[in-house]
Amino acid sequence: MDGRELVRSVKVFGAVRGLRAVRSAWRRRRTDAWGLPPRGAERARVPGMGVGAEPLPGGGVVRFARSRLRVRVAVDGSVFWGWDGAEPEPSYALAGTPPAADPRAELEPDKDGGWRVVSQRVTVAVSRQGAVEVRTPGGVVLRRELPPRWWEPVAGGPARWSQRAEVCADARFFGLGGRASGPRLRDGTYRLWNTDPGGGFGPGDDPLYITMPVQMVVADAGAHLAFYDTTWDGGVVLREGEEGAGSGHDRPGTVEVRASGGPLRCWVVVGTPPRLLRTWTGLTGAPVLPPSWALGPQHARWGFGSEREVRRVVAGYRERGLPLSALHLDIDHFDGHRVFTVDSERFPDLPGLARDLDGEGVRLVSIVDPAVKAEPGNAVYDSGSAADAFVRDARGRRVRGVVWPGECVYPDFTEPRVRAWWGGLYAERLAQGFAGVWHDMNEPVSFAAFGDTTLPRSARHALEGRGGDHREAHNVYGLAMARAGYEGLRRLRPDERPFLFSRSGWVGMQRYGGTWSGDVSTGWPGLRASLSLVIGLGLCGVPYSGPDVGGFDGSPSAELYLRWFQLGAYLPLFRTHAAIDAGRREPWEFGPEVLSHARAALLERERLHPYFVTLAQLARLTGAPYVRPLWWNAPRDRALRDCEDAFLLGDALLVAPVLERGADRRAVRLPRGRWYDTVTGQAHEGPGQVLLDAPLSRIPVLARAGAVIPVRGADGGVELEVWAPVVGRPGGGLVVGDCGGVSAWAEGARPEGEGRQTGRSEVERPEAELPEVERYTSRLEGDRVVVELVTAQGVVTASRPVRLRGRLGSGYA
């Protein structure tokens, strides 16, 4: 480290905190130098030639000269394979017991001395050299995994490995967690290491807070999802293929996954995108259902500063007729930034404030950071010390870092008893009147003057009793913290549905809550990155997310703020937020014109509230994200696969946000069918591209012909908005009401200590307790639109109020 780094640290963190950050960085390097022995010489290994096979239920074991491969096809059509004895468990990703093996799938000899497993949905072929092919039932190869390679330290230690795969030449890549440069992932290297970028980020920044080794690959031949189940640091190198012209040959797309340790094991799911997400969430857990109020507009600011300011902001919403469902308090409401405390001077009666706001329909949400100020007399530090809850280094000393409170220690959330201790601390948040929590700084973060801002890689973790270090625990730290918070809230208030979202996480984090964009930069590139993150996370099984509307840092222009606000109104988590020095973000701060248009967006969000409730329930039931790429129902449409500036909200609405400065019109790519402009009622036929008006007052939103959408009526009840169907093309829609507390979803976590220790909670969903789903159909009979409810007893006329919209004959209805 040189003087320039020291000066930069002081500028960023201030004199005292900057010097502490320097000391923390030196300490981390010294700890790793002692706790992580050098790898030394390595020995490369490949599987070698096949020497035999042993059939087992759903597949079998193929033996090679220097390795062995376990292949299994499950009853749900998912495929698992693991090298060198790797099995599906233990895993932080999976929810419940892995699906049973398909008894009809058997390992049998294949041509050229290889083996294959044939099932109803997929065929898996293994070559004599160790290549693994995933084929459709018709024999088309979707993915070909080349023989892997390991590098094993001669002196012992974890082996790093590399796995290269080939996909169709026309394939497009999506997923890998929260990526700012997507949703379509271009050629490049994507790191698998949850990272705080240390300030605002834009499309060119990678990695970010949530990285997942989950790829969704979409091609003409079909779609598939591949997941490499290792939590170790690594990377994914993507190269799109190229189709040959004339007599030229296709160049396949390639994927190379590299990991610095952990098992080499993989899950692959084949099918349409809806089937992929249904199977995927069956493996990793259904998304928890957010409370109904969490689907409304929310407001946050780092720097409210006092109870008086909070009341002023809420009153401002009410006086201007702006709906507001929740207000979030950042770290400035803590006493000295210490978690689970309150600054009693600035917030003298926080429970009273919460009661008053709740009376106005506004809930309070609290930030919770994992870092605990290392200060005797701090109640959390003292109780955690007594419980031996904090991460230690290889010498047995507590690992310390520097975060907002100063010198801090970190709970080891991979230890079940620590999760139970931490979950009990949320009683203080509930006693203060908070209705939900958001986890921040949980990658985890330790301020440093240079290099990685995380804990020492040699820090020791329990890892559910297996033991290991931070190289393996880092990526699941936020996931385990989310589990601790969620299970704690469930124990403390078993009759209420917890609300929790987390900045960092890993595969399966949807079991405990959602996420948000983190510190996205204020600017038009940041606006575009916001949409990328939400779509990408949804395709990885995390449906509830959204950005900091307006961007985290800096001051947005009135136009940028409004365009961001209009996008946020159609995303699952709709929250404005800003850094402490970024100014106020209330809609009225940007002038009367912005206020008027923002009010329209807020009121439309409230009108669509029943539709968002339905989408939340369907995400729980089927895994389908609220926000879907345009190719969701047409993955073979290449033009849709390349469209990244619009999305489907459910199956009924197409939203085309304005992502460029000064634009008042924009081109919109339409999927097949008729689509109605929801403002003008004008009909447009897809597939194709249309040019639509996008004045500052609104963004283009289109409804699918025949769609039946639940909306909030003037009396507050649910009515059906039906968009006129086309002759010969019936439509429909679903309505799923909010089920109140948790009784309709028995999200019971297996008590700590029972059964296998796999780092997850068990989720039960008794069929008798599933919510009632109303299925409506719509069709055109002459000049009459017929809307009917499909029940177990037959088809009946819809009993809910119906409002017909769209073109009907030569006019509008």
Side-chain angles (χ1 to χ4, degrees):
M1 178 180 181
D2 58 24
R4 288 176 296 180
E5 287 286 354
L6 178 59
V7 171
R8 185 182 69 84
S9 178
V10 171
K11 285 183 177 179
V12 172
F13 303 119
V16 175
R17 190 175 288 130
L19 293 173
R20 287 175 177 170
V22 172
R23 185 171 60 184
S24 174
W26 272 327
R27 187 166 54 210
R28 187 190 66 228
R29 287 194 172 186
R30 187 171 60 248
T31 299
D32 281 343
W34 188 92
L36 290 179
R39 292 186 65 88
E42 294 180 321
R43 180 187 300 111
R45 173 169 63 90
V46 295
M49 297 297 291
V51 296
E54 174 189 354
L56 292 171
V61 175
V62 181
R63 297 187 302 277
F64 298 87
R66 291 177 291 277
S67 189
R68 60 192 177 98
L69 173 68
R70 171 73 164 101
V71 179
R72 188 182 74 167
V73 178
V75 291
D76 62 358
S78 59
V79 179
F80 171 83
W81 66 76
W83 288 93
D84 292 340
E87 294 290 339
E89 297 184 289
S91 171
Y92 277 96
L94 303 187
T97 304
D102 185 347
R104 299 167 296 179
E106 297 181 354
L107 184 68
E108 58 188 35
D110 199 7
K111 60 183 179 180
D112 298 328
W115 298 267
R116 67 178 182 178
V117 182
V118 180
S119 72
Q120 183 179 3
R121 297 182 184 174
V122 66
T123 295
V124 183
V126 181
S127 75
R128 289 181 61 199
Q129 294 79 24
V132 180
E133 287 186 353
V134 179
R135 305 170 182 165
T136 67
V140 178
V141 177
L142 294 179
R143 189 179 190 93
R144 184 171 189 267
E145 301 267 345
L146 303 179
R149 182 180 294 269
W150 294 267
W151 289 268
E152 301 166 332
V154 173
R160 58 188 179 94
W161 52 263
S162 173
Q163 174 68 74
R164 190 169 182 267
E166 296 178 344
V167 298
C168 301
D170 67 296
R172 296 291 182 261
F173 300 106
F174 303 87
L176 296 183
R179 304 288 171 170
S181 59
R184 172 186 164 192
L185 301 177
R186 264 67 172 188
D187 294 359
T189 300
Y190 300 86
R191 191 179 176 193
L192 299 171
W193 186 255
N194 292 350
T195 303
D196 173 15
F201 68 86
D205 294 302
D206 188 87
L208 298 176
Y209 313 98
I210 301 174
T211 64
M212 296 182 183
V214 180
Q215 314 158 21
M216 183 175 284
V217 185
V218 185
D220 287 354
H224 70 274
L225 182 149
F227 165 52
Y228 294 86
D229 192 355
T230 178
T231 66
W232 287 65
D233 189 5
V236 179
V237 182
L238 301 179
R239 292 288 183 271
E240 291 183 349
E242 184 177 355
E243 294 178 295
S247 60
H249 296 287
D250 287 353
R251 178 174 59 81
T254 61
V255 182
E256 185 176 6
V257 181
R258 305 165 181 167
S260 58
L264 175 44
R265 55 186 178 179
C266 183
W267 288 89
V268 172
V269 183
V270 173
T272 64
R275 181 182 290 276
L276 293 183
L277 265 295
R278 179 186 289 271
T279 305
W280 177 239
T281 52
L283 286 170
T284 62
V288 296
L289 199 64
S292 178
W293 58 262
L295 296 171
Q298 305 177 49
H299 186 78
R301 192 205 304 162
W302 178 14
F304 278 122
S306 68
E307 176 181 326
R308 180 179 178 181
E309 176 66 4
V310 169
R311 291 184 184 275
R312 185 194 71 83
V313 169
V314 173
Y317 271 85
R318 291 292 173 258
E319 292 166 2
R320 293 168 176 84
L322 306 176
L324 180 66
S325 65
L327 188 137
H328 300 218
L329 297 186
D330 211 315
I331 56 173
D332 52 293
H333 87 279
F334 288 142
D335 181 10
H337 293 160
R338 292 174 299 176
V339 68
F340 299 117
T341 65
V342 176
D343 186 328
S344 57
E345 291 187 5
R346 292 184 293 165
F347 293 88
D349 184 15
L350 193 52
L353 172 64
R355 285 193 300 271
D356 291 346
L357 296 187
D358 187 65
E360 299 183 50
V362 179
R363 279 78 173 179
L364 274 184
V365 176
S366 171
I367 191 172
V368 173
D369 289 354
V372 176
K373 185 173 179 62
E375 179 182 62
N378 175 10
V380 179
Y381 176 75
D382 291 344
S383 65
S385 298
D388 191 20
F390 302 121
V391 175
R392 296 180 179 271
D393 64 18
R395 293 179 174 177
R397 301 173 301 189
R398 289 179 189 147
V399 171
R400 294 196 175 201
V402 176
V403 201
W404 300 115
E407 290 274 340
C408 292
V409 290
Y410 299 80
D412 182 7
F413 296 114
T414 70
E415 168 62 65
R417 61 176 178 77
V418 175
R419 288 198 295 269
W421 163 75
W422 184 264
L425 298 176
Y426 288 75
E428 183 273 341
R429 295 286 88 185
L430 296 178
Q432 297 292 348
F434 289 106
V437 296
W438 53 296
H439 288 173
D440 203 351
M441 308 293 286
N442 58 337
E443 289 68 38
V445 171
S446 173
F447 295 151
F450 58 94
D452 209 341
T453 58
T454 185
L455 302 185
R457 296 187 173 223
S458 59
R460 304 298 299 172
H461 291 267
L463 290 168
E464 317 308 320
R466 294 181 289 109
D469 58 42
H470 197 66
R471 293 174 297 176
E472 183 176 1
H474 174 82
N475 280 335
V476 295
Y477 190 88
L479 172 73
M481 181 186 179
R483 179 184 178 184
Y486 176 81
E487 292 179 346
L489 292 170
R490 283 295 311 277
R491 285 192 298 268
L492 292 166
R493 290 195 178 166
D495 297 328
E496 293 186 12
R497 195 186 309 161
F499 176 56
L500 183 152
F501 62 103
S502 172
R503 190 171 81 171
S504 183
W506 200 64
V507 179
M509 65 182 295
Q510 72 275 0
R511 300 191 296 262
Y512 313 115
T515 184
W516 90 103
S517 65
D519 301 344
V520 60
S521 288
T522 296
W524 294 94
L527 172 59
R528 186 174 290 273
S530 296
L531 179 56
S532 169
L533 289 163
V534 174
I535 295 177
L537 287 164
L539 294 176
C540 291
V542 185
Y544 184 82
S545 67
D548 285 346
V549 168
F552 179 71
D553 60 344
S555 299
S557 67
E559 180 191 6
L560 175 60
Y561 174 83
L562 181 58
R563 292 309 195 187
W564 218 316
F565 201 89
Q566 291 166 337
L567 168 62
Y570 292 94
L571 299 180
L573 173 59
F574 180 21
R575 181 182 88 145
T576 56
H577 186 44
I580 194 168
D581 56 352
R584 293 171 173 170
R585 293 286 172 82
E586 293 78 47
W588 55 89
E589 298 291 344
F590 294 85
E593 183 180 15
V594 169
L595 173 61
S596 174
H597 300 330
R599 179 186 293 109
L602 284 168
L603 293 178
E604 179 63 6
R605 172 65 176 235
E606 287 294 277
R607 194 181 73 89
L608 289 174
H609 188 268
Y611 186 50
F612 275 93
V613 169
T614 293
L615 294 179
Q617 295 275 18
L618 293 179
R620 177 76 178 163
L621 287 166
T622 70
Y626 312 37
V627 171
R628 307 165 188 178
L630 293 187
W631 48 260
W632 178 256
N633 291 310
R636 288 183 172 85
D637 189 323
R638 296 191 179 189
L640 295 181
R641 289 207 300 258
D642 292 342
C643 182
E644 303 177 277
D645 60 357
F647 61 92
L648 298 175
L649 182 60
D651 277 337
L653 297 177
L654 189 159
V655 182
V658 174
L659 305 177
E660 296 178 356
R661 179 189 292 111
D664 58 5
R665 304 191 80 192
R666 62 150 296 173
V668 180
R669 176 69 59 178
L670 299 180
R672 182 176 300 277
R674 177 173 295 178
W675 295 86
Y676 296 101
D677 187 308
T678 57
V679 172
T680 67
Q682 184 177 359
H684 304 276
E685 296 293 334
Q689 184 169 278
V690 295
L691 188 63
L692 299 180
D693 290 334
L696 196 61
S697 60
R698 63 181 176 89
I699 58 175
V701 178
L702 299 101
R704 189 189 301 272
V708 179
I709 306 173
V711 298
R712 182 173 287 163
D715 61 354
V718 176
E719 63 181 31
L720 305 178
E721 184 172 87
V722 181
W723 289 87
V726 178
V727 176
R729 284 191 245 162
L734 302 174
V735 179
V736 190
D738 185 64
C739 57
V742 297
S743 60
W745 300 104
E747 302 165 316
R750 175 181 291 175
E752 298 283 13
E754 287 192 13
R756 298 180 306 277
Q757 292 298 321
T758 57
R760 63 183 188 278
S761 57
E762 302 293 328
V763 177
E764 302 173 358
R765 292 192 296 165
E767 292 299 322
E769 297 184 350
L770 294 179
E772 182 179 355
V773 178
E774 300 175 21
R775 185 180 301 274
Y776 292 91
T777 63
S778 68
R779 68 180 186 277
L780 193 62
E781 290 186 354
D783 290 333
R784 178 169 168 263
V785 174
V786 178
V787 182
E788 294 175 318
L789 172 64
V790 180
T791 69
Q793 291 73 37
V795 178
V796 300
T797 302
S799 59
R800 295 187 182 273
V802 174
R803 187 159 67 98
L804 182 62
R805 298 191 64 187
R807 187 183 298 273
L808 187 61
S810 59
Y812 294 96

